[in-house]
Amino acid sequence: MSRLFSLCCVLLVSSICFAEVPKDLTVKTETVALFKNGLAVIRQEADIPAEGVYRWSEVPQVIHGTFFAESDLNVEIRSTQQEVKTPIQSGVNAPTLADLNGVKVKVTLEDNSVYQGELVIAPPEKVSNSLLPESSAMGRYYSSSMGPVPVGIGSQMLIKDEEGRYVFLTGAGKGIVSVETAAPLKERTEKKPVLLFTVKANNGKTSGKLQLFYLVKGAAWSPSYRINLLDGQKLSIDQTAQIRNEWLPIENAEVLLVSGFPQIETSNVRSLLHPSQVLAQFFQQLNLPSQRFDGFVGNSMMTQQMAPSPISISPDFDITAAAAGEGPDIHYQSIGKRTLGTGDTLSLSTGKGEAEYQRVLECSVPVLFTGQNNVNNRHTPIEIYDVVRFKNPLPFPMTTAPAAITENGRFLGQCKSYWVNPSQLASVKITKVMNVRVNYKEEFTAEAQQDSRGSEFFGRTYFQRSVIRTLEISNQRNEDITLNLDTAFYGQIEKIEVEPQKKTLNASDGGPNDSTSLVWVLQLKPGEKKTLTIAGKRWYPR
């Protein structure tokens, strides 16, 4: 019985001693596709020379549901924690006093007394949860692997001197000034999250490649445009991209700039693959609304926004041109292979073109109809903008981004450019116009008649009023102007004094009043005034 017990112990010890030690896996980033909202699509590849267990110590914080591994071999992946040797470098991974345990040191006190020996116990440092890796080593002691290490007053350490004696240095009354090492520290052993890949043969094949695909947060690109008005007829446009990498270092990988806004339902959910994720947090994140990004506001420059329909259609600009390039809704633009460290920002020109342009004034008169008490007899000034209009000359879409306009070296203004496909019409505001004025007023008559159709509109009773809307335009410039003006009228139009270039009837959505969109293209000479009058009837709830 004792022999059987001894044999079992030997077999157990042997299995532990001879358990397969994971081999470090070298993973190369092949492509990084950057969205404007801080999400990046990562494609990576690793060579698998033989069957076995491989370890990858850079566990990505993957977006839930986006991690996929492909290989001709049979591969299983497990996330866990293991002790990993990491290089000691300057900066965020600088050496600390904890790294000196077991190292021969020279300790100098304030009274210039010196102790030499092996550091047995170093002062405790901030202990962080290894499941929650920090992006920086804030809070750690700063130390140099060659030369004195600053130590605070009151620090405690235990030294074993050359004669085998133990010296306990408390720093009380004699503060520790420095700790020196004879040789630089090159690496430390610490517990880190790792991915273990267990690889087995498939159909007799024992070697091959492993490809990884996933989405992470931490890298983005931000475009901007410079529109330079050249000679009154042509303009040049230059798209510049600024690329920020707060993810892992990118080493000679192809970088793609993505224009578009794909649906990502789990963008706010971290994958269970990362040890920092816990079930309670995972289920809480699943209940959050989609398209919510931690630290990011969903403004139009990140979520994309289509260009509004132009106020007027000029015969010189055909806005029905077919979209060119790689699809109208999402576009990938390669800028070649790049190397970016964590925290690096790259700025470069990503596209140039020239196009003919028109420079016009645009004005949208708002509709303030809110109910029967909306009686506006005051002249209300409306904002007018100087606008440059042109066909997108770039071979890819102009994405939603800030656009600066210059002319003859002078800065004229900056506004937002919207999503515009190649060869389609772009309209970019330059600045607000101060010397052209548009005022409007509405006048309402008394109740006209009872609505016999009240039951058709959610059982409510309506009455009708006659409405007259007046728009007054005055050109205070000393030059001719072209003003593109649009508005909408709620109700039934009976008479328009100046017929618009475009009139579109829009059916009501559950109410008795239809709306009509109206567009005028007005030519005014210096000092000229024009008046537009719209007369009609409108239903109001009682």
Side-chain angles (χ1 to χ4, degrees), residues 461-509:
T461 303
Y462 288 79
F463 68 94
Q464 197 175 53
R465 277 180 166 176
S466 295
V467 180
I468 298 177
R469 169 175 281 204
T470 304
L471 303 170
E472 298 178 347
I473 304 101
S474 61
N475 177 20
Q476 300 173 359
R477 290 184 172 183
N478 60 359
E479 60 184 9
D480 295 347
I481 64 167
T482 298
L483 176 65
N484 297 265
L485 183 145
D486 80 307
T487 189
F489 184 86
Y490 280 102
Q492 179 183 354
I493 295 178
E494 296 179 326
K495 181 182 177 181
I496 300 178
E497 186 173 316
V498 178
E499 193 66 23
Q501 274 70 24
K502 185 177 180 181
K503 181 166 62 174
T504 305
L505 178 65
N506 306 303
S508 65
D509 185 14

Side-chain angles (χ1 to χ4, degrees), residues 263-321:
Q263 182 72 13
I264 306 174
E265 288 289 346
T266 59
S267 59
N268 61 327
V269 185
R270 186 183 301 135
S271 171
L272 287 171
L273 190 66
H274 199 283
S276 66
Q277 180 65 291
V278 293
L279 286 176
Q281 180 176 263
F282 175 73
F283 293 127
Q284 182 182 25
Q285 291 172 349
L286 282 176
N287 290 327
L288 291 175
S290 62
Q291 302 297 355
R292 173 178 170 181
F293 298 95
D294 297 336
F296 299 106
V297 179
N299 63 55
S300 60
M301 290 194 185
M302 286 185 289
T303 61
Q304 301 295 355
Q305 192 167 328
M306 291 180 60
S309 298
I311 288 181
S312 64
I313 300 177
S314 167
D316 298 330
F317 287 86
D318 178 16
I319 66 168
T320 62

Side-chain angles (χ1 to χ4, degrees), residues 222-228 235-240 301 386 388 390 398-406 411-418 420 426-431:
S222 177
S224 60
Y225 296 96
R226 182 192 177 192
I227 300 172
N228 187 27
L235 59 77
S236 64
I237 181 169
D238 185 357
Q239 176 181 281
T240 298
M301 290 194 185
D386 191 1
V388 59
F390 57 95
M398 289 179 60
T399 181
T400 311
I405 297 92
T406 60
F411 176 79
L412 300 182
Q414 185 205 56
C415 196
K416 181 164 56 180
S417 166
Y418 296 93
V420 179
S427 181
V428 181
K429 295 177 181 178
I430 301 176
T431 187

Side-chain angles (χ1 to χ4, degrees), residues 447 449-464 510-513 539-542:
E447 181 177 328
Q449 69 181 66
Q450 189 73 24
D451 180 21
S452 61
R453 303 172 299 163
S455 60
E456 298 177 10
F457 300 98
F458 307 105
R460 301 187 66 179
T461 303
Y462 288 79
F463 68 94
Q464 197 175 53
N513 292 304
W539 292 104
Y540 289 87
R542 189 175 287 282

Side-chain angles (χ1 to χ4, degrees), residues 47-325:
D47 289 320
I48 306 294
E51 294 179 286
V53 179
Y54 296 85
R55 180 178 62 189
W56 187 31
S57 58
E58 297 292 348
V59 183
Q61 296 200 29
V62 176
I63 301 298
H64 172 57
T66 68
F67 182 86
F68 301 96
E70 297 179 356
S71 177
D72 293 336
L73 307 172
N74 290 320
V75 179
E76 290 185 357
I77 305 172
R78 178 164 64 98
S79 65
T80 185
Q81 292 186 90
Q82 286 189 347
E83 289 188 348
V84 177
K85 290 186 177 181
T86 58
I88 294 178
Q89 302 168 347
S90 60
V92 296
N93 202 29
T96 69
L97 285 173
D99 296 320
L100 300 179
N101 279 327
V103 177
K104 289 187 178 181
V105 297
K106 181 175 76 173
V107 181
T108 303
L109 303 184
E110 284 185 330
D111 61 357
N112 294 324
S113 57
V114 175
Y115 294 85
Q116 298 188 62
E118 178 184 327
L119 181 59
V120 179
I121 300 178
E125 62 172 326
K126 176 185 176 183
V127 178
S128 61
N129 186 349
S130 61
L131 290 177
L132 301 172
E134 298 175 343
S135 60
S136 66
M138 295 296 291
R140 288 187 168 192
Y141 291 97
Y142 170 79
S143 61
S144 169
S145 60
M146 298 182 66
V149 178
V151 183
I153 299 296
S155 297
Q156 301 178 0
M157 59 180 64
L158 182 62
I159 298 274
K160 182 180 180 181
D161 64 18
E162 296 177 353
E163 298 179 4
R165 296 176 302 182
Y166 289 91
V167 182
F168 188 66
L169 302 177
T170 64
K174 299 179 182 179
I176 300 169
V177 176
S178 66
V179 179
E180 298 180 49
T181 63
L185 300 176
K186 295 183 178 180
E187 61 182 16
R188 69 163 60 95
T189 300
E190 55 186 350
K191 208 167 190 179
K192 291 184 60 177
V194 297
L195 288 184
L196 295 180
F197 298 83
T198 301
V199 181
K200 296 181 180 180
N202 182 28
N203 294 327
K205 189 172 184 179
T206 59
S207 64
K209 291 187 177 295
L210 172 67
Q211 294 179 329
L212 302 178
F213 171 93
Y214 54 88
L215 269 69
V216 293
K217 295 179 181 179
W221 78 290
S222 177
S224 60
Y225 296 96
R226 182 192 177 192
I227 300 172
N228 187 27
L229 307 182
L230 300 175
D231 56 6
Q233 294 182 337
K234 281 194 172 185
L235 59 77
S236 64
I237 181 169
D238 185 357
Q239 176 181 281
T240 298
Q242 291 186 343
I243 300 165
R244 175 75 173 184
N245 176 33
E246 295 180 3
W247 181 61
L248 299 174
I250 299 172
E251 298 287 343
N252 196 33
E254 182 183 14
V255 176
L256 302 167
L257 310 180
V258 186
S259 299
F261 191 68
Q263 182 72 13
I264 306 174
E265 288 289 346
T266 59
S267 59
N268 61 327
V269 185
R270 186 183 301 135
S271 171
L272 287 171
L273 190 66
H274 199 283
S276 66
Q277 180 65 291
V278 293
L279 286 176
Q281 180 176 263
F282 175 73
F283 293 127
Q284 182 182 25
Q285 291 172 349
L286 282 176
N287 290 327
L288 291 175
S290 62
Q291 302 297 355
R292 173 178 170 181
F293 298 95
D294 297 336
F296 299 106
V297 179
N299 63 55
S300 60
M301 290 194 185
M302 286 185 289
T303 61
Q304 301 295 355
Q305 192 167 328
M306 291 180 60
S309 298
I311 288 181
S312 64
I313 300 177
S314 167
D316 298 330
F317 287 86
D318 178 16
I319 66 168
T320 62

